[in-house]
Amino acid sequence: GQQVMQIPQYQHVQEGEDFTTYCNSSTTLSNIQWYKQRPGGHPVFLIQLVKSGEVKKQKRLTFQFGEAKKNSSLHITATQTTDVGTYFCASRKGRALTFGSGTRLQVQP
Amino acid sequence: NAGVTQTPKFQVLKTGQSMTLQCAQDMNHNSMYWYRQDPGMGLRLIYYSASEGTTDKGEVPNGYNVSRLNKREFSLRLESAAPSQTSVYFCASTVEGGLDTIYFGEGSWLTVV
């Protein structure tokens, strides 16, 4: 099975509302990466977190890595229609990268 | 710079037919991967190759074979296609497995009827 569980599976928001997706693991993660996939497209790398408690920001996106390195979150402030897509977290499992099941975000204009 | 290139982009197969999905990267990456993506299932790793000449099974390898032809190319073969293999297939590559950004190809939409 997958190493990380991602919630929620789906979220529908009004444009301007905030959005958060969470990744949780039962084991300590060496790092966590976040990807965005637009409908019909391929996943595109957003960011990597490595340190315990790390917080990184990209404009309206805020990424956090938990103190115990077992969970992570992606928060989008004031969503826009361009934020539509599926957001995946991914973590290292052995020598390969495994992905969470993703959170699909719909933004109502 | 093309990045990761996959062919074909779309394919319809009959049950029992065989086919090979081709993938090439021009970024001099060591590691290459094949993932499949089904609705609501996220991305599942089929096979990966940490370096030229090596291949390893991922989460869902049954029904597939791979070849790391050289550093640039990593192909995925379906010997006898089944409807359960209807999916979107993504090839990807990284400099080193796991800790670096993974770059994906555009995807190959495969339907088995």
Side-chain angles (χ1 to χ4, degrees):
Chain A
Q2 291 178 331
Q3 191 173 6
V4 290
M5 299 299 294
Q6 197 170 347
I7 54 170
Q9 191 172 24
Y10 172 77
Q11 185 141 16
H12 188 148
V13 301
Q14 293 287 324
E15 191 171 21
E17 291 182 336
D18 292 356
F19 159 77
T20 305
T21 175
Y22 301 89
C23 271
N24 298 299
S25 171
S26 58
T27 58
T28 302
L29 304 171
S30 57
N31 65 56
I32 195 130
Q33 298 183 5
W34 285 92
Y35 291 79
K36 177 183 178 181
Q37 184 179 25
R38 295 182 185 276
H42 61 279
V44 174
F45 174 81
L46 293 175
I47 210 156
Q48 176 172 280
L49 304 172
V50 179
K51 299 176 184 176
S52 169
E54 189 170 12
V55 178
K56 289 187 176 180
K57 292 191 175 187
Q58 290 179 350
K59 297 183 180 177
R60 293 177 296 104
L61 277 62
T62 302
F63 304 85
Q64 292 189 331
F65 202 8
E67 292 290 341
K69 299 182 75 173
K70 289 186 176 181
N71 56 72
S72 181
S73 64
L74 157 59
H75 179 81
I76 302 178
T77 303
T79 54
Q80 300 175 358
T81 55
T82 53
D83 295 325
V84 164
T86 301
Y87 293 84
F88 292 97
C89 60
S91 66
R92 183 179 187 181
K93 184 177 181 181
R95 302 184 72 177
L97 201 62
T98 57
F99 285 78
S101 55
T103 296
R104 187 159 68 95
L105 173 64
Q106 284 277 71
V107 180
Q108 181 91 23
Chain B
N1 190 343
V4 180
T5 305
Q6 292 179 233
T7 57
K9 192 165 179 68
F10 299 98
Q11 183 74 49
V12 178
L13 285 177
K14 293 182 179 179
T15 297
Q17 285 186 320
S18 62
M19 78 157 297
T20 300
L21 298 176
Q22 307 286 353
C23 176
Q25 52 88 13
D26 61 4
M27 297 174 281
N28 201 37
H29 284 170
N30 296 322
S31 298
M32 297 186 72
Y33 309 82
W34 278 104
Y35 289 90
R36 61 177 286 175
Q37 185 174 35
D38 304 299
M41 295 291 291
L43 292 144
R44 292 185 292 170
L45 183 64
I46 305 171
Y47 270 94
Y48 66 98
S49 170
S51 61
E52 185 179 352
T54 68
T55 61
D56 288 284
K57 294 179 180 180
E59 188 183 352
V60 288
N62 291 343
Y64 305 94
N65 285 301
V66 290
S67 295
R68 183 73 183 267
L69 304 170
N70 46 58
K71 191 170 186 179
R72 288 187 66 246
E73 298 172 289
F74 189 39
S75 62
L76 178 72
R77 183 160 177 84
L78 286 69
E79 290 292 350
S80 179
S84 61
Q85 294 178 304
T86 294
S87 189
V88 182
Y89 291 85
F90 288 99
C91 178
S93 69
T94 60
V95 173
E96 292 184 2
L99 291 180
D100 293 290
T101 304
I102 187 168
Y103 295 88
F104 285 87
E106 299 278 319
S108 297
W109 274 254
L110 176 65
T111 301
V112 183
V113 297

